[in-house]
Amino acid sequence: ANPLRSVSNDAGLVSDVIGSIEGPVVLVGHSYGGQIISNAARGHDNIKSLVYVAAFAPDSGESASDLAGKFPGGTLGDALATPVKLIDGGVDLYIDQTKFRDQFAHDVPAEITALMAVGQRPITEAALTEKSGEPAWRTLPSYFVYGDGDKNIPAEALGFMAKRAGSRRTVVVDGASHVVMVSHPQAVTDLIEEAAK
């Protein structure tokens, strides 16, 4: 599981896993996980491609927070619960459970989103504001899939990042939420399989 603590820490852990795998690897990242795969892939020669699923693809020196605020349409800030203070002075962020479905997964059945809301794992504010390193998408083939109904990362921002990364194929799912892999799993699976081939 992605610890969601910091870009450098989380990317380092993924990099360690990549290093333990023999044979070609396709890295797939959702949301903040896109920033993680962009950084974790550096230095590995077995990475075949990158797949961004409603995900951030920052350039060097950019943070997830920078990109989320670059274009209009995101409403995540207003949907957050009261931050949880951490002993190190930082804070953990959660989506308010009463706002979770509308914000994160409006196209997923309510009984599923209720479980998602109570089971969500926190991300540190520091992880969302940490600047990214040199992105792997500069040298590796990348693929993007997202919904144009995403309220966490505006569709305009996702399109901008896909174009900038030179996406080999970009799939935009009409009306899909931030969890396009839950509401439209076949579209996401098909793109991952294409990236693997």
Side-chain angles (χ1 to χ4, degrees):
N2 185 350
L4 306 174
R5 301 292 87 192
S6 74
V7 174
S8 53
N9 175 76
D10 300 345
L13 291 172
V14 173
S15 179
D16 289 345
V17 173
I18 296 166
S20 74
I21 298 171
E22 293 183 15
V25 173
V26 175
L27 286 180
V28 182
H30 170 248
S31 197
Y32 161 80
Q35 184 168 6
I36 300 309
I37 67 171
S38 294
N39 285 274
R42 288 194 310 267
H44 295 282
D45 57 11
N46 60 333
I47 306 296
K48 185 165 188 171
S49 54
L50 307 169
V51 182
Y52 294 85
V53 181
F56 290 106
D59 203 345
S60 181
E62 287 179 334
S63 69
S65 180
D66 293 337
L67 288 162
K70 191 175 181 77
F71 298 95
T75 56
L76 179 60
D78 293 335
L80 293 177
T82 302
V84 175
K85 293 181 181 178
L86 303 174
I87 196 168
D88 66 2
V91 294
D92 265 347
L93 302 176
Y94 295 84
I95 297 175
D96 184 319
Q97 290 183 29
T98 65
K99 299 176 180 177
F100 186 92
R101 183 167 190 262
D102 181 62
Q103 175 62 38
F104 203 74
H106 63 261
D107 54 351
V108 177
E111 61 272 17
I112 296 174
T113 59
L115 183 58
M116 292 169 73
V118 298
Q120 64 178 303
R121 292 170 49 241
I123 187 167
T124 64
E125 183 178 50
L128 295 175
T129 58
E130 184 177 339
K131 304 299 185 184
S132 201
E134 184 66 20
W137 49 256
R138 286 201 188 284
T139 56
L140 291 169
S142 64
Y143 299 78
F144 286 72
V145 56
Y146 61 90
D148 63 11
D150 196 319
K151 296 179 182 178
N152 271 35
I153 308 173
E156 191 175 352
L158 291 160
F160 163 78
M161 289 183 280
K163 183 176 181 182
R164 180 175 67 178
S167 176
R168 296 276 180 99
R169 180 163 157 76
T170 301
V171 177
V172 182
V173 182
D174 186 37
S177 70
H178 192 54
V179 288
V180 63
M181 69 285 189
V182 177
S183 60
H184 295 82
Q186 194 62 56
V188 176
T189 301
D190 288 347
L191 188 65
I192 294 169
E193 289 183 342
E194 181 178 334
K197 292 173 184 174

